[in-house]
Amino acid sequence: MMNKLFKLFFWISNITLLLILCVGFFPRMGMTLVGDWIDGKVPIDLMIPLLGLVGVPLTTTIVRHQQQQQTKLKPSISLFELFYSIEAPILAVCGIRLFVLRDLTPASGFLLSSAILGCLGSCYWFWQQRQAESTEERGNLISLVGLSLLLLVSLYLVAIASFFVVPFFCALIGGLWDAARYVLVLVAIVVLPLFICACMMSTLPFGMLFVAQKLWWQNLQQSIQHYGKLQIQTLVSGLTIVWLGIFIALQQQPQIEAFALLNQPIIVGVPTGGNRQAYLQKSELFQRGLLNAYLADYRYLRYPDDRKVFDAYRWLKLPTFIAEDIQDTYNLVTYPFTYQGKREDSARAADLYAKFFDTPILRAEKNTIRHAVESNFNRREANAGLSSIDVKRVLLTRQEVKVTPQGDWAELELHETYENQTTESEEVFYYFSLPESAAVTGIWLGETDDRSRRFPFQIATRGAAQKVYNQQVQRNVDPALLEQVGPQNYRLRVYPVLPKGQPLMHMWMTYKVLKQDGGWPLPHLNEQRNVYWNRYTKRTMPQSVDKANGNSLSADGEWLPQAIVADKSLAEVHQFTLPNGSNIIAKPFDAKGYSLPKNQRLAIVVDSSYSMNAHREALAKTIDWLQTNILPHNQMDLYLTANKSEQAKSVPMAGFKTDRAIFYGTVEPQQMLAQFQTLSQAATNPKYDAIVMLTDRGSYELTTDRNEGQLMPAPLWMVHLGGLPHAYDDATLASIQSSGGSISTDIKTVMQRIATLPSLGAGTSLLSVVDNYAWFLSQPKDPVTQPQDKGFDAIAARQWVTQVSQSLKPTQLQELDAVHVLAKRYSIVTPYSSAIVLVNDAQKQDLKNAEKDKDRFQRKGEDKQSLQTEVSATPEPAEWLLLSIVILLLGMIYRRNLARSIV
């Protein structure tokens, strides 16, 4: 009778489970999960459990059928044993991995691995039972080890499930009558299989334990007969001790020690260099601990303040102290799945990570965070968590580059078409760089490739343009914004790219550039967000594309090639007359004419942020080059910055070795410049010919918004080891421009630009030497010998803006307005003037109003928030399916008691 009842239970629960998965889960979430896995958005360890949940019931059904056919020929096992020794454990592993656990911790991963090995051992035992001819052949060490692991895991699951046994049965007894009253007969046909399936899931731990201990004991006795009692007892005891030891050791959570060391006073500034060095040696611990705290919502099922068990037993009218003891015991048992900290630790971890490692955690740990967020069967929640990481949402379907040569300079046009791959409006975001002498001259938007119907741009003050753009994004109205965020740096934002199935978005951008090294430079991508390209992207460019660096037009890698090969036309002298009558003259400059400084006094400022540890070798080579080529003929003072002002110091340049420097914490560019000012003034307040800061790409996201930058006593040159940053904060940009300096990735180039002072003759003054051209200014009274070059106006005007920036401050609105008028006259993007595309009169009126405000030239670093936003926390997972059933039944009791109280 019991066998028949369990057989009925087996078939109903399996069929119901398959119906739930195939009819309920797969059409809604399963297919999305499979599609994301094909696109590489889901880790493989999340797909295997999905296949297991469907494949295991089907496989056990087939195996059971074959077993019945061969039961007279081979030894067999009962349906109960088959279910709870193979199907139940595998279903438990797959269900827990897919629906409960997300990003695995060492402890949860160890438990899951043990369960998997236990399942394999159980399967091997089952296969062995069918193949063995005698009882002695059934004893095997492999199956014994597997069944031992399965027994240990089953014991742990039962320990957790036992906390809900009493609430479950109490709720069950009180809720069955309510169910019978409210559920109709027709509905019962559906409810009964669901109830049986729920019972199956609820009894998994107990059934697994019962069968596992039975099979383990049989295998143990058979193995003892075959191998000997002492050997088997040693094996089992050793395995249990080792398993428990590893399990206990893996429960140590690194954020506890990390937070204990990285408290706020210490991270801001450690008193001595020795202490800082000791902290640097613990950087791996800090990295693991802070990352673990940041991802707590994805790695752990609960927090210490979770009181679900206490509430369940208090609902049963148990005394408070007993419910407290049960809750404390439950906390101890579920320690591996409980984050040992507070819910607000995620934000704290992000802050401490940035202060210690000098980079946002979302940027530095992007791959790990992406894996954690993507390890979620609910793809909507996973996509929400990826909102701050550059993901593939907008496909670049077409890219065209057109070149219009004009001798030694050319106008280039970039045309791109975007197709949204999601159901929500998205933003395309680019950071790119162009040669310093280039001039960006326009941006347009359109819903078709018809140029006559595209929306034109207008030049607006940078603060007003940013303000209006952000307002329109909130209103979900089409704008586009192109800004200059560094001497060579630009930021392009296009919104909204409409959801999939709606008209595509077209973007056009133009710029003028001088020929560089025999080619026309294309924008160099520093970072992109949302937008991506693949082998289906159609690219159209001139045939003379520079393939020397391995760039491919149809590859998934680069956004654009480095350059398009130009013709062999010679460089020319260009002249353009400004509105005030002055003349800008550009003269080709032979690279052989460059020289190095002599008899000058130079200040070398070294960035001591933690991120410079990755550039020690490059810094050492730079210092060695300066000591060898510059120091013998010049006076050089070296300044070492620090994350705390009183730790900054001046050291002799001669004999300095980078291995003496300690790179620790984070230091903003403005802080480094302030430290240099303080140290130099405290000494002899020397007069420098140039100030050179040796730094890396830095972290724009960690800079503080300031209206004004440090006023430098000499041209400030920033040498970025490892590549240019994707943007500068406006204060640092102002310090560079107002001083007459610039940026580079090569120290030799900077020294040559500092020292090279060519002359065009009487009546002219040198503006700069950049991109193999010398730029001069001649006054109106001086004779003009070169013909006027009207097409050269944008490039010349851009150089003039760079020159007048040396005497501008953010508070000088009249002077800034004058520069802005020049930018509007020649339709160029400058550090003070941005290009914005507006599509209706209301937007244009908003811009007019914004350009009347006093803060029309002040930008806010709103982009910083997009990289430092806390990872979107998905809802906390259920504490097993059993807990959900208990809560449901308790709710039914509550309804019954409430109804009685009303009556």
Side-chain angles (χ1 to χ4, degrees):
M1 182 65 181
M2 293 300 296
N3 289 335
K4 292 182 178 180
L5 288 176
F6 186 81
K7 184 176 182 180
L8 180 64
F9 170 82
F10 174 84
W11 288 112
I12 292 178
S13 59
N14 273 274
I15 293 173
T16 304
L17 179 62
L18 287 173
L19 286 175
I20 292 174
L21 291 172
C22 297
V23 178
F25 177 75
F26 259 97
R28 298 175 65 88
M29 293 185 178
M31 296 308 298
T32 303
L33 195 66
V34 173
D36 286 351
W37 175 69
I38 294 174
D39 293 337
K41 300 177 182 179
V42 175
I44 185 64
D45 60 319
L46 206 64
M47 283 301 301
I48 295 177
L50 178 65
L51 300 176
L53 286 176
V54 179
V56 169
L58 292 175
T59 303
T60 53
T61 301
I62 296 173
V63 170
R64 180 59 181 173
H65 176 73
Q66 293 179 346
Q67 182 192 36
Q68 291 176 344
Q69 299 296 323
Q70 302 177 8
T71 186
K72 297 180 180 181
L73 302 177
K74 295 289 182 181
S76 180
I77 62 174
S78 67
L79 181 62
F80 184 85
E81 291 175 329
L82 173 65
F83 179 75
Y84 281 111
S85 66
I86 295 180
E87 181 174 0
I90 297 178
L91 285 176
V93 170
C94 295
I96 291 173
R97 177 65 188 96
L98 184 62
F99 298 113
V100 180
L101 301 178
R102 284 173 284 184
D103 195 36
L104 298 178
T105 63
S108 62
F110 176 73
L111 277 175
L112 203 63
S113 300
S114 300
I116 293 173
L117 292 176
C119 293
L120 293 176
S122 180
C123 292
Y124 182 74
W125 172 85
F126 173 65
W127 177 82
Q128 183 189 24
Q129 289 291 99
R130 299 183 61 198
Q131 300 298 321
E133 297 290 343
S134 64
T135 304
E136 294 183 357
E137 294 179 5
R138 299 175 200 167
N140 189 282
L141 294 181
I142 296 178
S143 58
L144 178 62
V145 171
L147 289 172
S148 298
L149 293 175
L150 184 62
L151 180 60
L152 290 170
V153 175
S154 299
L155 283 169
Y156 183 71
L157 292 179
V158 167
I160 296 177
S162 61
F163 288 93
F164 305 104
V165 172
V166 174
F168 174 74
F169 281 105
C170 291
L172 180 63
I173 294 172
L176 284 178
W177 173 246
D178 288 340
R181 290 194 309 169
Y182 292 115
V183 178
L184 300 175
V185 177
L186 182 62
V187 180
I189 299 176
V190 178
V191 174
L192 181 60
L194 292 177
F195 181 76
I196 293 177
C197 185
C199 290
M200 176 197 72
M201 301 299 293
S202 303
T203 59
L204 282 183
F206 304 96
M208 286 170 54
L209 177 61
F210 178 81
V211 173
Q213 64 85 22
K214 178 183 177 182
L215 299 182
W216 175 81
W217 180 254
Q218 293 177 358
N219 200 303
L220 179 68
Q221 298 302 317
Q222 295 168 359
S223 299
I224 288 176
Q225 294 179 7
H226 189 72
Y227 296 100
K229 184 175 182 179
L230 179 62
Q231 290 84 346
I232 296 302
Q233 287 181 341
T234 303
L235 172 64
V236 174
S237 300
L239 176 65
T240 303
I241 294 173
V242 171
W243 189 89
L244 289 174
I246 295 175
F247 184 48
I248 294 173
L250 292 178
Q251 295 187 35
Q252 305 302 316
Q253 297 183 14
Q255 80 278 356
I256 299 175
E257 183 178 358
F259 279 139
L261 293 172
L262 289 177
N263 55 68
Q264 193 66 20
I266 292 179
I267 192 64
V268 169
V270 178
T272 66
N275 288 339
R276 292 199 301 273
Q277 189 63 45
Y279 268 60
L280 289 175
Q281 293 175 358
K282 295 181 178 291
S283 59
E284 184 178 353
L285 167 66
F286 297 151
Q287 180 187 22
R288 290 187 293 107
L290 296 177
L291 186 60
N292 196 56
Y294 189 71
L295 294 175
D297 286 331
Y298 296 101
R299 291 183 170 180
Y300 298 93
L301 304 181
R302 56 190 303 274
Y303 287 86
D305 59 358
D306 186 353
R307 308 284 289 173
K308 291 184 177 68
V309 172
F310 173 83
D311 295 338
Y313 281 91
R314 283 295 295 146
W315 182 267
L316 298 178
K317 307 301 183 182
L318 265 68
T320 302
F321 73 94
I322 296 179
E324 285 283 2
D325 291 340
I326 296 175
Q327 178 68 61
D328 293 341
T329 306
Y330 178 76
N331 291 344
L332 179 63
V333 173
T334 58
Y335 189 93
F337 303 102
T338 305
Y339 173 75
Q340 301 305 312
K342 301 178 180 179
R343 297 179 185 272
E344 57 268 22
D345 281 355
S346 178
R348 183 185 176 200
D351 180 62
L352 288 176
Y353 192 100
K355 289 180 177 179
F356 186 89
F357 292 104
D358 189 35
T359 185
I361 191 170
L362 265 173
R363 184 180 294 278
E365 307 291 346
K366 181 173 63 176
N367 293 333
T368 303
I369 296 173
R370 180 192 297 278
H371 182 274
V373 176
E374 288 181 340
S375 297
N376 192 337
F377 76 94
N378 190 329
R379 302 316 298 163
R380 180 175 296 180
E381 293 178 358
N383 291 333
L386 287 168
S387 61
S388 296
I389 308 176
D390 53 334
V391 293
K392 298 179 179 180
R393 294 195 180 106
V394 179
L395 175 62
L396 174 61
T397 60
R398 188 172 65 172
Q399 184 183 70
E400 296 177 289
V401 175
K402 294 183 179 180
V403 182
T404 306
Q406 301 290 335
D408 60 347
W409 66 272
E411 182 175 34
L412 284 81
E413 179 188 78
L414 173 64
H415 174 206
E416 293 190 338
T417 305
Y418 309 113
E419 180 180 13
N420 195 341
Q421 304 298 300
T422 72
T423 57
E424 298 180 357
S425 297
E426 299 291 349
E427 181 183 44
V428 170
F429 203 119
Y430 286 121
Y431 279 110
F432 63 92
S433 55
L434 285 168
E436 190 173 335
S437 59
V440 177
T441 56
I443 180 174
W444 296 261
L445 289 184
E447 295 183 350
T448 69
D449 58 2
D450 186 354
R451 294 171 180 265
S452 63
R453 299 178 59 186
R454 62 185 184 179
F455 298 105
F457 69 97
Q458 62 185 94
I459 301 297
T461 54
R462 64 184 185 185
Q466 183 194 55
K467 179 179 180 180
V468 171
Y469 176 86
N470 290 334
Q471 291 175 347
Q472 301 311 310
V473 167
Q474 294 176 359
R475 298 172 185 171
N476 203 29
V477 182
D478 293 18
L481 181 64
L482 180 56
E483 306 169 276
Q484 185 167 359
V485 289
Q488 303 176 28
N489 311 79
Y490 295 86
R491 176 169 57 200
L492 170 62
R493 303 168 65 183
V494 176
Y495 182 89
V497 182
L498 298 178
K500 190 175 182 64
Q502 299 192 36
L504 306 184
M505 176 69 76
H506 293 257
M507 186 278 298
W508 292 264
M509 183 186 75
T510 60
Y511 65 97
K512 295 181 179 180
V513 67
L514 293 163
K515 186 189 305 181
Q516 300 290 314
D517 298 324
W520 308 118
L522 292 173
H524 174 75
L525 182 66
N526 296 321
E527 184 180 78
Q528 91 275 7
R529 299 182 197 165
N530 286 338
V531 65
Y532 71 102
W533 42 92
N534 55 29
R535 63 181 181 275
Y536 301 111
T537 301
K538 297 180 180 179
R539 305 186 187 232
T540 304
M541 298 185 187
Q543 294 298 319
S544 55
V545 173
D546 179 15
K547 298 181 180 180
N549 297 305
N551 296 310
S552 174
L553 294 181
S554 59
D556 294 347
E558 297 297 328
W559 178 41
L560 288 164
Q562 182 177 353
I564 295 178
V565 177
D567 54 27
K568 297 182 180 180
S569 59
L570 298 177
E572 304 173 7
V573 176
H574 300 276
Q575 178 173 300
F576 182 77
T577 302
L578 296 169
N580 64 0
S582 300
N583 295 291
I584 297 290
I585 302 174
K587 182 180 179 181
F589 189 80
D590 192 340
K592 296 179 181 179
Y594 284 109
S595 60
L596 294 177
K598 288 186 178 181
N599 302 320
Q600 295 191 23
R601 188 164 190 175
L602 306 174
I604 308 298
V605 182
V606 178
D607 180 2
S608 65
S609 300
Y610 180 89
S611 56
M612 287 291 289
N613 282 294
H615 306 285
R616 278 186 178 271
E617 184 177 352
L619 178 61
K621 292 180 179 179
T622 300
I623 295 294
D624 289 343
W625 187 89
L626 289 171
Q627 292 172 341
T628 302
N629 298 278
I630 306 300
L631 185 59
H633 309 288
N634 301 272
Q635 184 175 350
M636 302 180 68
D637 299 328
L638 184 66
Y639 296 88
L640 286 177
T641 62
N643 70 317
K644 199 170 184 180
S645 298
E646 55 265 29
Q647 297 167 353
K649 57 184 177 180
S650 175
V651 298
M653 183 68 179
F656 173 76
K657 299 295 182 182
T658 56
D659 53 9
R660 301 177 185 175
I662 298 178
F663 301 115
Y664 180 89
T666 182
V667 192
E668 296 183 31
Q670 288 300 305
Q671 292 175 328
M672 289 186 278
L673 296 179
Q675 291 175 11
F676 158 73
Q677 299 271 48
T678 301
L679 289 174
S680 62
Q681 292 173 5
T684 58
N685 197 20
K687 184 178 181 181
Y688 290 108
D689 295 291
I691 303 165
V692 180
M693 180 184 291
L694 303 180
T695 182
D696 58 356
R697 299 188 68 174
S699 296
Y700 165 73
E701 298 82 10
L702 301 182
T703 56
T704 304
D705 288 330
R706 295 180 175 89
N707 292 334
E708 295 188 42
Q710 290 287 328
L711 184 61
M712 305 308 297
L716 172 62
W717 298 82
M718 300 189 73
V719 178
H720 295 280
L721 308 176
L724 292 177
H726 57 269
Y728 294 85
D729 62 285
D730 284 342
T732 301
L733 180 58
S735 295
I736 297 172
Q737 291 184 314
S738 63
S739 66
S742 190
I743 63 174
S744 180
T745 58
D746 177 59
I747 186 64
K748 183 178 180 180
T749 300
V750 168
M751 289 297 159
Q752 288 177 337
R753 292 185 62 179
I754 290 174
T756 304
L757 299 172
S759 175
L760 191 61
T764 61
S765 58
L766 178 67
L767 299 180
S768 65
V769 179
V770 58
D771 296 335
N772 297 324
Y773 278 80
W775 297 83
F776 301 91
L777 175 66
S778 66
Q779 300 302 321
K781 62 180 180 179
D782 299 320
V784 177
T785 58
Q786 299 295 332
Q788 183 77 359
D789 190 346
K790 294 184 179 180
F792 201 68
D793 55 355
I795 299 177
R798 180 66 192 86
Q799 286 299 311
W800 177 241
V801 170
T802 301
Q803 176 65 22
V804 298
S805 296
Q806 298 181 27
S807 59
L808 290 178
K809 294 182 179 180
T811 56
Q812 297 175 329
L813 294 181
Q814 291 184 350
E815 289 79 358
L816 289 173
D817 285 334
V819 175
H820 177 61
V821 169
L822 187 68
K824 293 183 67 174
R825 182 186 186 99
Y826 298 104
S827 297
I828 58 174
V829 176
T830 73
Y832 310 105
S833 306
S834 304
I836 184 170
V837 177
L838 302 175
V839 300
N840 58 49
D841 293 336
Q843 292 177 327
K844 296 175 182 178
Q845 185 60 46
D846 289 342
L847 182 61
K848 288 182 179 180
N849 296 335
E851 288 197 293
K852 296 177 183 178
D853 295 338
K854 293 182 179 180
D855 62 349
R856 55 185 176 273
F857 288 101
Q858 296 178 10
R859 281 185 294 210
K860 296 182 180 180
E862 87 289 336
D863 175 52
K864 303 169 189 177
Q865 298 300 321
S866 64
L867 275 178
Q868 289 188 296
T869 300
E870 188 175 334
V871 175
S872 303
T874 57
E876 186 176 338
E879 298 265 358
W880 314 101
L881 178 61
L882 183 58
L883 179 58
S884 301
I885 297 173
V886 171
I887 296 173
L888 175 63
L889 294 176
L890 287 175
M892 296 173 68
I893 294 177
Y894 173 77
R895 289 188 59 186
R896 184 186 64 181
N897 294 338
L898 180 62
R900 288 177 178 176
S901 64
I902 294 175
V903 174

